[in-house]
Amino acid sequence: MAQKAAKSLAARNASTLTRTHLIALALHTIYLVLHFTFNRPRSLKPYLLLAGPTLVIEFYLERLGRPRYTDDGNLRTPGEDLGATGLTEYMWDVVYWTWGCMASVCLFNDRAWWLWIVVPLYSVWLAYTTFTGMKSGFAGMGGGRSEEPAVAGGESKRQKKLEKRGGQKMQYR
């Protein structure tokens, strides 16, 4: 029962990586077979340009998450959690989206590579929402302007609402 969590993480990572590599191999093989057998008037430039980063990401995830064992078969390191949030999650999104674009290109034509433009647009949107979230977070600390000017009497909105409903009136000493 020693290292049960590490062993389960290692097994989960190994199965995820194996599945990822098999799907990638199948998609790339189908694309290349269709490209060379039907002799389509296409260049391999979009394929290399847009599928190349996915191969780099897969190599990185392989190095990051592959469990390592000692010579006698004991688990040395289970690898990093491939289901982690943050950058790892974003890399999986890029891999899955590229797979979808490759499948679309196989079914339709090279114009389906334009679907890949969603990835940088999504990155820009995430950066924008993060920035605006930080900006509104700093608003309460004097970093941003409040929407209403300060009340002369020092009453907050909550106090005004309570007084309007007939609740307790604040008494200042």
Side-chain angles (χ1 to χ4, degrees):
M1 283 298 190
Q3 298 182 353
K4 184 177 180 181
K7 289 178 182 178
S8 66
L9 177 63
R12 188 172 57 242
N13 282 353
S15 68
T16 300
L17 289 170
T18 302
R19 184 181 65 240
T20 300
H21 295 322
L22 289 175
I23 291 171
L25 178 68
L27 280 172
H28 288 279
T29 303
I30 290 169
Y31 178 83
L32 292 173
V33 165
L34 287 173
H35 178 78
F36 289 116
T37 47
F38 292 116
N39 200 10
R40 298 178 178 174
R42 302 176 182 185
S43 70
L44 289 176
K45 287 180 187 176
Y47 168 73
L48 295 175
L49 181 69
L50 298 174
T54 302
L55 295 175
V56 172
I57 288 173
E58 283 184 42
F59 176 74
Y60 176 73
L61 290 173
E62 170 73 27
R63 297 283 298 167
L64 182 72
R66 181 64 66 182
R68 291 176 182 79
Y69 296 93
T70 59
D71 292 334
D72 58 352
N74 291 329
L75 181 66
R76 186 175 5 155
T77 60
E80 297 294 322
D81 185 15
L82 294 177
T85 59
L87 186 60
T88 307
E89 184 179 28
Y90 179 72
M91 285 190 277
W92 282 114
D93 291 343
V94 171
V95 168
Y96 296 147
W97 188 255
T98 305
W99 287 353
C101 290
M102 284 182 65
S104 299
V105 168
C106 289
L107 292 174
F108 304 113
N109 61 14
D110 272 351
R111 291 184 186 185
W113 282 119
W114 283 102
L115 293 172
W116 213 84
I117 195 75
V118 170
V119 173
L121 292 176
Y122 180 66
S123 300
V124 169
W125 180 77
L126 279 178
Y128 173 75
T129 56
T130 301
F131 174 72
T132 56
M134 284 185 357
K135 185 177 172 184
S136 66
F138 288 136
M141 295 187 292
R145 297 184 342 202
S146 64
E147 294 185 14
E148 283 190 14
V151 179
E155 294 181 355
S156 68
K157 283 184 176 181
R158 185 172 183 266
Q159 290 170 344
K160 284 184 176 182
K161 284 182 183 178
L162 282 174
E163 288 175 13
K164 189 183 266 187
R165 290 183 198 153
Q168 277 187 319
K169 186 168 182 154
M170 299 295 291
Q171 295 179 358
Y172 296 101
R173 296 181 191 191

